[in-house]
Amino acid sequence: MQIIYTQGRKSLTAGVWHKAEASQGATNCAAAKLISGGNVLMGDTQNPDRVRLTLPGSAWDALVRTLA
């Protein structure tokens, strides 16, 4: 799992793993990637090959709004 630095970005770039700006120095984080169909794939930076969670774009938006 290759992570890019978000540098304050509020949206996901398709096909690229992102983790929260607040956790850029950490290695045990959740990461998210926008995939085809507008869905968001979630993964664990310490276990990049394990089962991931796929969220519809609307659920991702709701999660981000709730946590903001």
Side-chain angles (χ1 to χ4, degrees):
M1 175 185 295
Q2 181 180 3
I3 305 289
I4 68 159
Y5 289 96
T6 56
Q7 299 173 348
R9 221 174 159 71
K10 300 291 184 198
S11 60
L12 300 176
T13 304
V16 180
W17 286 103
H18 299 266
K19 66 180 180 175
E21 187 71 23
S23 60
Q24 292 302 316
T27 58
N28 57 340
C29 306
K33 175 170 72 169
L34 181 63
I35 58 174
S36 63
N39 295 325
V40 175
L41 189 64
M42 299 215 41
D44 179 355
T45 58
Q46 285 190 335
N47 300 295
D49 296 323
R50 289 206 178 164
V51 175
R52 296 183 175 117
L53 175 66
T54 303
L55 299 173
S58 59
W60 172 258
D61 290 341
L63 175 65
V64 170
R65 278 193 311 273
T66 300
L67 297 175

